[in-house]
Amino acid sequence: CSSTCAGGFHRRVVVCQDEEGRSANNCDEATKPSESRHCDSGPCPQWNFGNWGECTQTCGDGIKTRLVICQL
């Protein structure tokens, strides 16, 4: 599949050959198999995050934290 998530395509080569495997041009185009098809490997992961928490200091430098999760 051309994509590891969400939509993508499978691709293949379809050629007309005779019984000995040589290239030919007398195949019926109406019966030619498709050269690509959709494939879907499921949803892409995305970042999910919460709100910033309180600062660890009331003045000067402090740190705010929040929950961050990678989810499908």
Side-chain angles (χ1 to χ4, degrees), residues 32-47:
K32 181 180 179 181
S34 64
E35 294 182 299
S36 66
R37 68 177 178 181
H38 287 282
C39 53
D40 190 348
S41 303
C44 292
Q46 64 183 12
W47 289 108

Side-chain angles (χ1 to χ4, degrees), residues 36-69:
S36 66
R37 68 177 178 181
H38 287 282
C39 53
D40 190 348
S41 303
C44 292
Q46 64 183 12
W47 289 108
N48 235 346
F49 51 89
N51 294 326
W52 287 107
E54 294 295 316
C55 189
T56 58
Q57 300 291 330
T58 56
C59 62
D61 290 337
I63 297 174
K64 287 185 173 185
T65 59
R66 65 181 175 177
L67 182 65
V68 178
I69 301 171

Side-chain angles (χ1 to χ4, degrees), residues 11-35:
R11 285 182 172 52
R12 64 183 177 183
V13 176
V14 178
V15 295
C16 181
Q17 294 179 326
D18 65 16
E19 293 84 13
E20 281 135 30
R22 292 182 300 225
S23 183
N25 57 8
N26 57 343
C27 293
D28 181 4
E29 284 293 317
T31 63
K32 181 180 179 181
S34 64
E35 294 182 299

